[in-house]
Amino acid sequence: MALIVQKYGGSSVADTEAMKRVAQRIVDAHNAGHQVVVVVSAMGDTTDDLLDSAAALTSAPPEREMDILLSAGERISMALLAMAVNELGVEARAYTGAQAGIQTDSRFGAAQIVGMVPERVARAVKDGQVAIVAGFQGISKDDDVTTLGRGGSDTTAVALAAALHADVCEIYTDVDGLFSADPRIVPKAHRLRTLTQEETLEMAAHGAKILHLRAVEFARRYGVPLHVRSSFSEKNGTWISDAPANPELKGLVPDAALKSPEENAMEKPVISGIAHDRSQDKITVTDVPNSPGVAARVFAVVAEVGANIDMIVQNIPVSDPTKANITFTLPEGDARKALDALEAHHDEIGFNELRYNPNIGKLSLVGVGMRTNPGVSARLFSAMSDAGINIDLISTSEIRISVVTRLEDLDRAVQAVHTAFGLDASETEAVVYGGTGR
């Protein structure tokens, strides 16, 4: 008997028929002898509908009341799904985030989990019930309802799995796992059978959309094995773990996941996948003094307005070694406030001008095999050169190479690199059954 946490996205519970299909899958796992905890998102477009309703009433809704409103979607889902499971003869109990013991800070709309006390959920499971928890929400120390931001239901599921010491956290979506690239861009992208948590973290951080970064970070920190699969099919998905799975999960997870990490590593290609990101902008601070402390001051100013920096490059012009140009990328939503903050400190920093470019795209090549295989960089740059695509910025880690190019070249870059590294499947493999993939 294994303890399984299952998370279902909005497209998986979009209507009552979808609810019935999900309920049957839950009951099948329960009847197979497993203990089951479920985390559920709001149905279909419910969250968007609630946002539209708020916007029709006010242009500046109070953050506290907005979180109360948006948490309602998941509460509707949890109650209906519990009813559907009960109808199939298995006792199910629904719990809000607060009732499930998910404690957060007070950052409305983007709360961080600070504690997990899932006593009621644990008791329900011990009593043979299925516990169904509303995702995306918790409660602050002031007893206010909070929401966890984008991807919050993923984070709820992984946090519960960690707190309950679950054997696996299954993330159900509307595609058959993680793929070597976005199949909307690369139709011959292939499904990845296994990924390490480190690889998944890199892919999530650099544009892959199926798993949210915070959930992957949580899984890695607490050693939670993840299985990403579709709720619309019985196919095996993608197993994400740095350790072999519990043998009692045989039949619920891919056979590859039950092998040792060494066996999986022998089968892995050099490159696992390609992530891409269209949501970043580029800022260049020109002709700053090339002296100690100046770069620190630039990024302190940016940090003071809460902007997150991704890639950084500093160049020293040959014509004037006393000056330097500092270029960095950041999320598009942070660009305006970063530009305003830097402009306000113009005299203090001593730069010449700020150059802003929103038309960039980032491609990231990810794979643990890169550590021991020379020539990866050369093949990447050759593929982009052959496709006539210029590279603007480069950043690397032990298992990732990221490059920035023009936004209009990004799709062609992904396609060219995917082919160059032999990642194309023999035929179209990816199927999106409905919704957005979440």
Side-chain angles (χ1 to χ4, degrees):
M1 179 176 67
L3 173 56
I4 302 170
V5 174
Q6 299 181 339
K7 178 263 176 178
Y8 293 94
S11 58
S12 297
V13 292
D15 52 37
T16 54
E17 289 305 311
M19 285 274 187
K20 291 177 182 178
R21 182 177 61 250
V22 166
Q24 187 61 61
R25 189 182 286 266
I26 294 167
V27 168
D28 289 344
H30 179 273
N31 289 344
H34 302 294
Q35 296 175 315
V36 183
V37 175
V38 177
V39 173
V40 65
S41 297
M43 298 172 66
D45 297 325
T46 299
T47 301
D48 288 337
D49 293 340
L50 292 172
L51 286 167
D52 290 343
S53 295
L57 296 172
T58 174
S59 60
E63 292 181 335
R64 178 181 177 277
E65 279 59 42
M66 199 67 183
D67 270 13
I68 294 173
L69 173 68
L70 295 183
S71 68
E74 279 71 18
R75 296 184 184 210
I76 293 169
S77 293
M78 75 177 190
L80 290 174
L81 187 56
M83 294 175 190
V85 172
N86 275 291
E87 184 67 16
L88 294 175
V90 172
E91 189 174 359
R93 298 293 298 274
Y95 299 95
T96 66
Q99 291 170 331
I102 301 170
Q103 302 170 349
T104 75
D105 59 21
S106 299
R107 294 176 57 197
F108 296 113
Q112 299 281 329
I113 295 175
V114 298
M116 294 290 299
V117 190
E119 294 177 353
R120 298 182 69 177
V121 173
R123 286 201 304 270
V125 170
K126 185 177 180 181
D127 292 341
Q129 301 167 343
V130 171
I132 300 179
V133 178
F136 175 66
Q137 62 188 259
I139 191 166
S140 73
K141 60 181 175 58
D142 298 319
D143 290 331
D144 283 322
V145 172
T146 56
T147 63
L148 307 182
R150 182 184 175 276
S153 292
D154 287 354
T155 305
T156 301
V158 178
L160 275 172
L164 296 168
H165 305 289
D167 294 282
V168 62
C169 180
E170 295 185 326
I171 305 294
Y172 283 94
T173 178
D174 52 23
V175 291
D176 292 319
L178 295 174
F179 284 77
S180 54
D182 187 337
R184 292 169 297 181
I185 296 175
V186 184
K188 289 191 175 182
H190 68 274
R191 179 177 54 84
L192 303 171
R193 289 196 305 163
T194 62
L195 277 176
T196 67
Q197 289 171 331
E198 187 177 11
E199 287 173 306
T200 309
L201 191 63
E202 289 280 13
M203 292 188 72
H206 295 278
K209 303 298 184 185
I210 297 300
L211 273 175
H212 194 260
L213 178 59
R214 285 170 62 187
V216 180
E217 289 173 337
F218 226 114
R220 187 183 186 194
R221 185 179 307 131
Y222 295 102
V224 177
L226 302 177
H227 184 197
V228 181
R229 60 194 309 189
S230 174
S231 64
F232 295 82
S233 77
E234 297 299 325
K235 294 179 181 178
N236 286 325
T238 302
W239 182 258
I240 300 164
S241 179
D242 293 335
N246 182 344
E248 292 178 349
L249 296 171
K250 184 80 172 174
L252 290 178
V253 300
D255 290 341
L258 299 175
K259 299 179 182 179
S260 69
E262 291 77 14
E263 288 176 306
N264 279 329
M266 291 176 64
E267 300 175 358
K268 288 184 68 64
V270 175
I271 300 302
S272 296
I274 300 169
H276 72 278
D277 190 353
R278 306 179 193 277
S279 64
Q280 293 203 349
D281 295 346
K282 184 178 73 171
I283 294 174
T284 300
V285 188
T286 68
D287 296 331
V288 299
N290 184 22
S291 57
V294 175
R297 187 57 191 143
V298 168
F299 292 111
V301 169
V302 174
E304 286 169 2
V305 294
N308 292 312
I309 302 299
D310 183 13
M311 302 171 70
I312 302 172
V313 173
Q314 178 170 313
N315 297 319
I316 301 173
V318 175
S319 58
D320 187 357
T322 67
K323 300 292 184 179
N325 296 330
I326 300 175
T327 300
F328 57 91
T329 62
L330 72 175
E332 57 189 355
D334 291 345
R336 186 70 265 161
K337 58 185 179 182
L339 288 165
D340 291 343
L342 288 168
E343 195 62 57
H345 290 80
H346 177 278
D347 294 340
E348 174 191 347
I349 297 172
F351 60 84
N352 180 30
E353 65 173 330
L354 298 175
R355 297 174 184 167
Y356 171 58
N357 183 1
N359 298 313
I360 65 168
K362 183 175 70 171
L363 178 153
S364 297
L365 201 62
V366 177
V368 292
M370 293 167 58
R371 289 176 171 145
T372 55
N373 285 268
V376 173
S377 298
R379 192 187 304 184
L380 167 64
F381 300 145
S382 294
M384 296 187 69
S385 175
D386 292 345
I389 298 169
N390 191 47
I391 295 172
D392 195 359
L393 300 176
I394 302 168
S395 150
T396 65
S397 73
E398 283 193 347
I399 67 165
R400 173 190 52 81
I401 303 175
S402 293
V403 297
V404 167
T405 185
R406 295 189 309 170
L407 184 60
E408 56 264 37
D409 291 337
L410 183 59
D411 287 4
R412 286 196 304 116
V414 173
Q415 293 160 1
V417 173
H418 196 271
T419 299
F421 281 90
L423 298 177
D424 291 353
S426 58
E427 58 185 25
T428 301
E429 184 177 358
V431 177
V432 178
Y433 297 92
T436 62
R438 294 195 64 78

